[in-house]
Amino acid sequence: MEEELKCPVCGSFFREPLILPCSHNICLPCARTIVVQTPESEHLPHAARPMLVMGADYDYPDHLDKMSLHSETDSGYGSYTPSLKSPNGVRVLPPAPAPSLGASSGASSRGLHGSICSSSSITCPQCHRSASLDERGLRGFQRNRLLETIVQRYQQERGALVRCQLCDTNPSEAAVMCEQCDVLYCSSCQKKCHPTRGPFAKHRLIPPSQLAPSTTTSTRKFPTCADHELENYSMYCLNCRTPVCYQCLQEGKHAKHEMKPLGIMWKQHKAQLSQALSGVSDKAKEAKEFLVQLKNILQQIQENGLEYEACLVAQCDALVDALNRQKAKLLTKVTKEREHKFKVVWDQINHCTLKLRQSTGLMEYCLEVIKENDPSGFLQISDALIKRVQSSQEQWVKGALEPKVSPEFDLTLDNDPLLQAIHQLDFIQMKFPLTVPPVPLLQLEKCCTRNNSVTLAWRMPPFAHNPVEGYILELDDGDGGPFREVYVGKETLCTIDGLHFNSTYNARVKAFNSTGLGPYSKTVVLQTSDGVYRI
């Protein structure tokens, strides 16, 4: 409620609140800061302006004044540019310089004849509707004494600091309150405006702290008519929608308007307000329930987010593990290929080394034989030696001195499809074709038994996109018999009572949608009065 009790300009509690024509309220000191001087020609239709320029004593109709009061297109500021801002962002005018005597008299003389003088206007800081002020100025607006009473009562109930009602700027703390004047005074304003002599000597001054809300209400006087200060409101004008006094009916502008007794309209408007409040109360109740729903959604978002993060990490880790296993297999293939090439090359090296050693030995032996000068001895062995040399030469057949394997590995890893798949790894946002629901996951930590009843809980796996319309829970007879349906619905928690004591029951659950029935979950074994056993 505190927001309703604060002025939209200064942001503080209302002080002497005035009711603007648009039904919004504003502090009297704040109203003085946003009142601007606007040429009357800006508020009146073009048809009325020539009469004003000619200086004719023309009294324009009331509907023209109403147009200026409720014009949404008129900003109310005219050509004056404000230079200050209130705490709430409303433009506030700096103090206007006092006009000279000559200028004042000239303006007054022109205003009496209805010429192009300047009129005051005020713009509501909430709805931005402009309202023109009459010759009474801000006193022409009614004072919202009811709101003032509520503000004082609220401040006293909350223990707030009660401010003086007469200080123009930076009101001081109220020192006393006059029960007869119904005004809060600080020490300086009391000395200036409420002396203890003369007619004020019999007034009773009490500290604001001693005022109870009930006492303040009981001692508060009823407001008097704005046009006839000595008359109290007694009737309600249906045309103008405002309380009026007896003299307003006799001689004022409300003489021909439709009237109703003030008490009857007071009760009628109270009933209408109570009825409207009932609707607002229902909406407020719905809003509270909606806030609870939103907070539950926040909690579910947090839980689901953590669950999805854990599942995502698990899935990525599974992909990394599978890639590591495949990497190990590929490395094994490379190792085997390398060992095979090593073996072939080493066999060639050993074979070639042996042949080379034999050929070298034969060459050295032949050279020694050639050195001998004994013809008969040479001819004895020359035929056999020539055959050995020729046989040794024939052993180096074509390809014998060529490597049997290449140093290059004939292995090429085709990783492009996998890289492309990794780059395309993302969450699926499209709608899947409707299929049967996946297998529900039993939450074994929530499954339990108590006396002769069992409680089972389950959930759908993460990233399950197929809709689920309900679940079917099946339980056997506790003696190894066939399964039977014990629950069909949308809940994921079910308690079955009335079972046999000291019996072992098997339970399973499956989901279904419009497409059909999904597969069964794993079977869980529960023994009444003993506990939960997992399979």
Side-chain angles (χ1 to χ4, degrees), residues 279-295:
V280 175
S281 177
D282 294 339
K283 293 298 180 182
K285 183 179 179 180
E286 294 179 5
K288 289 182 179 179
E289 295 175 353
F290 181 63
L291 286 176
V292 173
Q293 180 183 358
L294 291 180
K295 291 180 180 179

Side-chain angles (χ1 to χ4, degrees), residues 113-145:
H113 297 286
S115 60
I116 55 174
C117 65
S118 296
S119 64
S120 299
S121 64
I122 185 172
T123 299
C124 175
Q126 290 184 273
C127 65
H128 305 291
R129 289 174 178 249
S130 179
S132 298
L133 277 63
D134 55 15
E135 65 276 359
R136 295 176 298 174
L138 293 175
R139 292 179 299 172
F141 297 136
Q142 296 183 5
R143 184 172 173 180
N144 196 339
R145 297 184 180 273

Side-chain angles (χ1 to χ4, degrees), residues 174-483:
V176 294
M177 176 179 178
C178 177
E179 289 187 339
Q180 286 72 22
C181 299
D182 193 19
V183 177
L184 293 165
Y185 298 95
C186 63
S187 300
S188 59
C189 292
Q190 178 192 356
K191 294 179 182 179
K192 296 178 182 178
C193 306
H194 198 285
T196 56
R197 60 184 182 276
F200 297 105
K202 297 182 180 180
H203 288 195
R204 182 186 176 190
L205 301 177
I206 58 175
S209 59
Q210 297 181 5
L211 285 176
S214 58
T215 306
T216 306
T217 305
S218 61
T219 59
R220 192 171 299 279
K221 298 188 299 181
F222 290 101
T224 57
C225 180
D227 297 328
H228 311 91
E229 297 182 356
L230 299 180
E231 296 291 338
N232 292 329
Y233 293 115
S234 59
M235 302 294 289
Y236 183 82
C237 178
L238 297 179
N239 298 71
C240 301
R241 296 183 178 273
T242 182
V244 295
C245 67
Y246 178 76
Q247 290 189 12
C248 293
L249 302 179
Q250 299 297 327
E251 57 188 26
K253 59 182 179 180
H254 305 279
K256 296 182 180 181
H257 292 179
E258 184 179 358
M259 299 290 172
K260 279 194 175 182
L262 190 65
I264 294 178
M265 293 304 299
W266 174 54
K267 293 181 180 179
Q268 181 179 346
H269 281 202
K270 270 195 171 182
Q272 292 178 357
L273 181 60
S274 299
Q275 184 177 1
L277 282 178
S278 177
V280 175
S281 177
D282 294 339
K283 293 298 180 182
K285 183 179 179 180
E286 294 179 5
K288 289 182 179 179
E289 295 175 353
F290 181 63
L291 286 176
V292 173
Q293 180 183 358
L294 291 180
K295 291 180 180 179
N296 292 334
I297 290 176
L298 283 178
Q299 184 177 0
Q300 293 177 3
I301 290 175
Q302 178 69 14
E303 294 175 356
N304 292 339
L306 294 176
E307 183 178 1
Y308 269 67
E309 287 179 0
C311 292
L312 178 62
V313 171
Q315 287 183 331
C316 291
D317 290 344
L319 292 176
V320 173
D321 292 341
L323 184 61
N324 288 331
R325 289 193 297 270
Q326 190 65 23
K327 181 181 70 172
K329 292 181 181 179
L330 296 176
L331 289 175
T332 302
K333 289 184 178 181
V334 174
T335 302
K336 289 182 178 180
E337 182 69 15
R338 184 184 64 225
E339 291 176 352
H340 171 69
K341 288 180 177 291
F342 273 181
K343 183 177 182 303
V344 172
V345 173
W346 276 115
D347 288 345
Q348 277 193 294
I349 290 174
N350 294 331
H351 180 72
C352 186
T353 301
L354 178 61
K355 293 295 182 181
L356 180 61
R357 186 169 56 250
Q358 292 176 354
S359 299
T360 303
L362 180 60
M363 289 171 57
E364 293 177 351
Y365 174 69
C366 291
L367 290 176
E368 291 298 328
V369 171
I370 293 174
K371 293 179 182 180
E372 291 296 330
N373 297 324
D374 184 7
S376 59
F378 176 82
L379 291 175
Q380 285 180 348
I381 63 173
S382 60
D383 289 334
L385 190 60
I386 292 172
K387 290 181 180 179
R388 286 184 59 193
V389 172
Q390 290 177 351
S391 176
S392 176
Q393 184 179 0
E394 291 175 357
Q395 290 180 359
W396 301 98
V397 295
K398 184 178 181 181
L401 298 179
E402 294 179 359
K404 292 183 179 181
V405 295
S406 170
E408 304 295 334
F409 283 76
D410 297 333
L411 299 175
T412 302
L413 182 62
D414 186 12
N415 60 348
D416 290 339
L418 181 58
L419 288 175
Q420 186 177 2
I422 292 176
H423 293 156
Q424 294 178 352
L425 186 63
D426 199 352
F427 297 103
I428 299 177
Q429 301 293 341
M430 66 181 66
K431 293 184 178 179
F432 287 88
L434 187 61
T435 58
V436 296
V439 179
L441 302 178
L442 288 170
Q443 295 182 283
L444 301 179
E445 67 278 2
K446 296 183 180 180
C447 299
C448 60
T449 61
R450 183 178 182 182
N451 295 330
N452 64 334
S453 65
V454 296
T455 299
L456 294 104
W458 60 89
R459 64 180 178 87
M460 295 304 295
F463 306 108
H465 302 280
N466 295 325
V468 176
E469 297 181 3
Y471 302 93
I472 299 176
L473 177 63
E474 296 182 356
L475 199 71
D476 66 358
D477 59 357
D479 195 20
F483 284 92

